């Protein structure tokens, strides 16, 4: 049985990926320290509870920014680590930079060093579309070869730092590192701090949502199942490159206003919102070019945003109704 370690297993993408790998017969050791505010911690506990029902899942509660040598025994028989644990959120990183530096840089340095010392052959990690910064985007989208030395937020800086450190370990120690620049991932079990959840929640509770920059910012919203399918394709196929980065995005940007209107339609209820000025760290648009990913892997077309948001809103309403009953 293939054994994989996933950090951030109770996070949005970590939970979805763990479920998919368990369904395919993998044994997964999930690592998470279960931090976050009230809403974030609530959904993380919900995700983890679901995973703990699986016989081929083991959980380790551990802060990766501290001493993690206790994980040495977990690495026996494992040749792949998927590092998804991180503090997420562009705007939040500008409020609490020290937390993001600790959780996203120090923790990354600890886990990749542990992987090296234990002879792990492959290290897959989550980067972010945020590394591209604020730039004009061509008709074919953002490619992995573009210069990414102008981050607009502390969060983006931490992810770029991860990519640089991964390069050092690939070149110095012959470890294969694969970075995933993820573009605005959404879907069931999603993050309470992201726009789809915020908008759905405000409509559900009949409260006022805040939309920045007149709703004109564009994001390449990417459905969670497409992300996990891409990662599993990467896990299942061996490539020669020792250091590689892939964009994972739907390649079909939509404005925040479009997003809000679709969620209103799927919730079958009109919402209330207010416009506010752009926050520090926000970029105008994201748009993934995934030619490199498609060249190396059998990647199908990505989920249409209407289909994805329909699935998310259906799950969200059930989740909220279940919470109300408790």
């Amino acid at each position: 049985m293939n054994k994989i370690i996933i950090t951030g297993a109770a996070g949005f993408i970590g939970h979805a990926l763990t479920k998919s790998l368990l369904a395919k017969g993998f044994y997964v050791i999930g690592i998470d320290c279960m931090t976050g505010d009230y809403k974030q911690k609530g959904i993380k506990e919900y995700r983890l509870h679901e995973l703990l029902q699986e016989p081929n899942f083991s959980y380790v509660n551990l802060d990766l920014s501290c001493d993690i040598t206790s994980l040495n025994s977990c690495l026996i028989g494992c040749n792949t680590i998927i590092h998804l644990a991180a503090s997420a959120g562009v705007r939040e990183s500008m409020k609490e930079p020290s937390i993001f530096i600790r959780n996203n840089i120090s923790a990354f340095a600890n886990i990749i060093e542990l992987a090296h010392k234990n002879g792990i052959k492959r290290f897959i990690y989550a980067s972010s579309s945020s590394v591209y910064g604020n730039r004009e985007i061509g008709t074919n989208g953002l490619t992995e070869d573009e210069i990414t030395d102008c981050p607009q937020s502390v969060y983006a800086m931490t992810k770029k730092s991860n990519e640089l450190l991964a390069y050092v370990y690939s070149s110095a120690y012959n470890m294969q590192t694969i970075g995933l620049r993820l573009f605005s991932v959404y879907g069931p079990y999603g993050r309470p701090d992201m726009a789809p959840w915020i908008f759905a929640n405000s409509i559900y509770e009949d409260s006022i949502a805040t939309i920045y920059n007149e709703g004109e910012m564009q994001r390449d919203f990417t459905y969670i199942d497409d992300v996990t399918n891409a990662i599993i394709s990467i896990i299942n196929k061996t490539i020669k490159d020792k250091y590689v980065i892939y964009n994972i995005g739907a390649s079909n940007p939509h404005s925040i206003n479009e997003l809000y209107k679709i969620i209103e339609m799927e919730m079958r209820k009109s919402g209330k919102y207010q416009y506010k000025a752009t926050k520090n760290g926000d970029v105008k648009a994201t748009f993934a070019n995934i030619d490199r990913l498609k060249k190396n892997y059998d990647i199908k077309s990505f989920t249409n945003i209407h289909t994805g948001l329909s699935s998310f809103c259906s799950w969200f309403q059930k989740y909220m109704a279940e919470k109300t009953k408790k």
Side-chain angles (χ1 to χ4, degrees), residues 84-208:
L84 304 175
S87 288
V90 165
R91 294 168 191 154
E92 196 62 31
S93 75
M94 304 302 285
K95 299 176 187 175
E96 300 282 358
S98 61
I99 292 174
F100 279 70
I101 291 167
R102 183 189 71 217
N103 292 343
N104 297 6
I105 297 179
S106 297
F108 186 94
N110 286 345
I111 192 70
I112 200 169
E113 171 66 6
L114 191 75
H116 155 58
K117 286 183 175 179
N118 284 272
I120 300 297
K121 300 178 190 283
R122 187 165 51 170
F123 186 86
I124 301 171
Y125 63 97
S127 185
S128 169
S129 61
S130 298
V131 302
Y132 289 109
N134 221 353
R135 64 176 67 211
E136 294 298 320
I137 302 175
T139 55
N140 294 321
L142 296 160
T143 67
E144 296 90 343
D145 294 328
E146 299 195 40
I147 295 172
T148 54
D149 58 1
C150 295
Q152 300 295 300
S153 66
V154 173
Y155 175 70
M157 178 277 295
T158 65
K159 290 300 184 178
K160 179 61 180 178
S161 297
N162 291 170
E163 294 180 0
L164 292 171
L165 190 54
Y167 180 83
V168 171
Y169 274 76
S170 289
S171 59
Y173 302 123
N174 204 32
M175 176 194 294
Q176 184 179 62
T177 65
I178 301 174
L180 313 173
R181 289 179 180 167
L182 304 170
F183 283 70
S184 300
V185 186
Y186 73 97
Y189 300 86
R191 280 171 41 197
D193 63 314
M194 292 190 70
W197 184 298
I198 292 170
F199 293 165
N201 189 65
S202 71
I203 293 168
Y204 185 87
E205 295 183 343
D206 198 30
S207 59
I208 300 174

Side-chain angles (χ1 to χ4, degrees), residues 204-221:
Y204 185 87
E205 295 183 343
D206 198 30
S207 59
I208 300 174
T210 297
I211 299 178
Y212 295 99
N213 195 37
E214 304 295 319
E216 294 177 357
M217 291 185 295
Q218 293 197 328
R219 294 291 181 267
D220 198 354
F221 296 104

Side-chain angles (χ1 to χ4, degrees), residues 7-41:
T7 72
F12 174 31
I13 299 172
H15 164 261
L17 180 61
T18 298
K19 284 205 307 182
S20 295
L21 288 172
L22 291 170
K24 294 180 181 299
F26 285 81
Y27 185 91
V28 178
I29 296 177
I31 299 167
D32 207 299
C33 63
M34 302 301 291
T35 57
D37 63 21
Y38 173 74
K39 284 186 177 180
Q40 291 171 334
K41 196 166 184 181

Side-chain angles (χ1 to χ4, degrees), residues 52-119:
L52 288 171
Q53 312 310 307
E54 299 288 340
N56 289 331
F57 175 77
S58 296
Y59 168 61
V60 179
N61 188 321
L62 188 66
D63 182 348
L64 297 176
S65 68
C66 303
D67 181 7
I68 59 171
T69 54
S70 59
L71 287 177
N72 283 330
S73 60
C74 296
L75 296 173
I76 298 171
C78 173
N79 60 19
T80 300
I81 290 177
I82 304 174
H83 179 56
L84 304 175
S87 288
V90 165
R91 294 168 191 154
E92 196 62 31
S93 75
M94 304 302 285
K95 299 176 187 175
E96 300 282 358
S98 61
I99 292 174
F100 279 70
I101 291 167
R102 183 189 71 217
N103 292 343
N104 297 6
I105 297 179
S106 297
F108 186 94
N110 286 345
I111 192 70
I112 200 169
E113 171 66 6
L114 191 75
H116 155 58
K117 286 183 175 179
N118 284 272

Side-chain angles (χ1 to χ4, degrees), residues 206-278:
D206 198 30
S207 59
I208 300 174
T210 297
I211 299 178
Y212 295 99
N213 195 37
E214 304 295 319
E216 294 177 357
M217 291 185 295
Q218 293 197 328
R219 294 291 181 267
D220 198 354
F221 296 104
T222 308
Y223 190 61
I224 183 63
D225 288 359
D226 298 324
V227 173
T228 56
N229 289 339
I231 297 174
I232 289 172
S233 294
I234 291 169
I235 292 169
N236 286 335
K237 182 178 178 181
T238 301
I239 61 170
K240 293 181 180 179
D241 301 292
K242 284 298 176 185
Y243 175 82
V244 64
I245 291 173
Y246 294 113
N247 287 336
I248 300 182
S251 300
N252 189 14
H254 293 271
S255 73
I256 303 302
N257 281 330
E258 287 180 90
L259 175 75
Y260 189 86
K261 289 174 182 177
I262 297 171
I263 292 174
E264 274 189 319
M265 182 179 66
E266 294 299 335
M267 297 287 286
R268 294 177 174 81
K269 182 180 176 183
S270 295
K272 295 179 288 188
Y273 59 87
Q274 60 183 347
Y275 286 133
K276 286 191 177 180
T278 306

